[in-house]
Amino acid sequence: SKHTESALVKHGDRGMTLEQEINESNQYYLAHDIAVIHKKPTPIQIVKVDYPKRSAAVIREAYFRQASTTDYNGIYRGRYIDFDAKETKEKTRFPLDNFHQHQVEHMRSCLKQGGICFGLIKFVAFDQLYLLKATDLINYWDARNHAGGRKSIPFTAFQTQAIPIKYSLNPTIAYLDAVDQLI
Amino acid sequence: SKHTESALVKHGDRGMTLEQEINESNQYYLAHDIAVIHKKPTPIQIVKVDYPKRSAAVIREAYFRQASTTDYNGIYRGRYIDFDAKETKEKTRFPLDNFHQHQVEHMRSCLKQGGICFGLIKFVAFDQLYLLKATDLINYWDARNHAGGRKSIPFTAFQTQAIPIKYSLNPTIAYLDAVDQLI
Ligand SMILES: [Mg+2]
Ligand SMILES: [Mg+2]
């Protein structure tokens, strides 16, 4: 539609990463009392900190650590929400190694507690974004090391199994509309 | 009781901070499929990163940032859980300036969405730990700048309004037993 096209142009103009688009959408949802969802800070192992006189502490040596959870969580309509966001340049498939074992295990644990868990997967070549339910993701993940299992999820599976998310102006990506279909 | 005393001795021996006690308890809850609750990483503003050949990236200049949420969140019995932990050396009161405005606003937003929000407050002089409901915390917070409002919560209020949490062996602090009283 015309509306979608102009939103895509606008979105392209601004050159935002998927993370920026999600953060902006979360700010909109928070400001409008729709949901409280935040990205977790990047985990850092701090080794050395300087404390200069009369100014802020400076971290002088630190290393990136592997996260033990997904990147985003929060609350929406009384439900615990938990997801990760991934971009791929591939056009025919989403390689499963974009996810890490601990992220999949974390989603498995959250599902057991009754959480709403999913991946937000963007095919940047088409500017197409999908919500993939964690149960579907986990099925592909668990199958990948078995006979006949694939190392990736075919793009066609997103078209049939996943929920497409349209770009809009406010919020940039209305991914909670897709979550409504899971609740 | 004898059980509590020996747990306290054990706890004292190990010299754990409240954060370590909570992290250890969260590991226990996760391993036993009771809850999925994690501490968020400390937010860091990264300014300079070196990428040495054949070794891990090193952060060479970074600064601590103020968190925009509480430190802990997750899911328990299908409910969104959100809290912060504070220690005080005071013996007669808990100074409200241990909390930051944004943490209180975050709890207010989460309460609106139906979350279970609270503070875990430890009086280290007595080795006593309490769960204080966010609604009670917010009442004291909002009153503090008005006539007759206090800048702190009296210790006696914890004894009457808050839920005491006992130290035990597994988990170190069974704070979800106190949460059960809120659900
Ligand atoms: Mg990620
Ligand atoms: Mg804290």
Short mmCIF file of all heavy atoms in Angstrom, two decimals, chain A residues 19 39 70-72 84-86 103, ligand 1:
data_model
loop_
_atom_site.label_atom_id
_atom_site.label_comp_id
_atom_site.label_asym_id
_atom_site.label_seq_id
_atom_site.Cartn_x
_atom_site.Cartn_y
_atom_site.Cartn_z
N GLU A 19 17.86 -2.65 16.02
CA GLU A 19 17.89 -2.33 17.46
C GLU A 19 17.36 -0.92 17.72
O GLU A 19 16.57 -0.71 18.65
CB GLU A 19 19.32 -2.47 17.99
CG GLU A 19 19.42 -2.13 19.47
CD GLU A 19 20.83 -2.28 20.03
OE1 GLU A 19 21.52 -3.24 19.65
OE2 GLU A 19 21.22 -1.43 20.84
N LYS A 39 15.65 -2.86 26.31
CA LYS A 39 16.81 -3.65 25.93
C LYS A 39 17.75 -3.72 27.12
O LYS A 39 17.99 -2.71 27.80
CB LYS A 39 17.55 -3.01 24.75
CG LYS A 39 18.75 -3.84 24.31
CD LYS A 39 19.41 -3.30 23.06
CE LYS A 39 20.46 -4.31 22.56
NZ LYS A 39 21.57 -4.50 23.52
N THR A 70 18.22 -13.37 26.47
CA THR A 70 17.92 -12.58 25.28
C THR A 70 18.14 -11.09 25.60
O THR A 70 18.39 -10.73 26.74
CB THR A 70 16.45 -12.79 24.89
OG1 THR A 70 15.67 -12.61 26.06
CG2 THR A 70 16.24 -14.21 24.36
N ASP A 71 17.99 -10.26 24.58
CA ASP A 71 18.29 -8.83 24.75
C ASP A 71 17.14 -8.01 25.32
O ASP A 71 17.37 -6.96 25.93
CB ASP A 71 18.68 -8.22 23.41
CG ASP A 71 20.13 -8.48 23.06
OD1 ASP A 71 20.87 -8.97 23.92
OD2 ASP A 71 20.51 -8.18 21.91
N TYR A 72 15.91 -8.43 25.07
CA TYR A 72 14.76 -7.60 25.42
C TYR A 72 13.80 -8.35 26.33
O TYR A 72 13.49 -9.53 26.06
CB TYR A 72 13.97 -7.20 24.16
CG TYR A 72 14.77 -6.40 23.17
CD1 TYR A 72 15.54 -7.03 22.20
CD2 TYR A 72 14.76 -5.00 23.20
CE1 TYR A 72 16.28 -6.29 21.28
CE2 TYR A 72 15.49 -4.27 22.29
CZ TYR A 72 16.26 -4.91 21.34
OH TYR A 72 16.99 -4.18 20.45
N ASP A 84 14.46 -11.78 21.29
CA ASP A 84 15.71 -11.29 20.73
C ASP A 84 15.46 -10.85 19.29
O ASP A 84 14.50 -11.29 18.66
CB ASP A 84 16.82 -12.34 20.80
CG ASP A 84 18.14 -11.67 21.14
OD1 ASP A 84 18.55 -10.77 20.38
OD2 ASP A 84 18.74 -12.00 22.17
N ALA A 85 16.31 -9.97 18.81
CA ALA A 85 16.17 -9.40 17.47
C ALA A 85 17.41 -9.76 16.66
O ALA A 85 18.53 -9.66 17.17
CB ALA A 85 16.03 -7.89 17.56
N LYS A 86 17.18 -10.20 15.43
CA LYS A 86 18.30 -10.60 14.57
C LYS A 86 18.07 -10.08 13.16
O LYS A 86 16.94 -10.14 12.65
CB LYS A 86 18.40 -12.13 14.49
CG LYS A 86 18.49 -12.85 15.82
CD LYS A 86 19.83 -12.67 16.49
CE LYS A 86 19.91 -13.51 17.76
NZ LYS A 86 21.13 -13.18 18.55
N GLN A 103 20.68 -18.46 24.53
CA GLN A 103 19.47 -17.67 24.25
C GLN A 103 18.27 -18.59 24.04
O GLN A 103 17.16 -18.30 24.52
CB GLN A 103 19.67 -16.81 23.00
CG GLN A 103 20.71 -15.71 23.20
CD GLN A 103 20.93 -14.89 21.94
OE1 GLN A 103 21.00 -15.43 20.84
NE2 GLN A 103 21.05 -13.58 22.11
MG MG C 1 20.65 -9.60 19.93
#
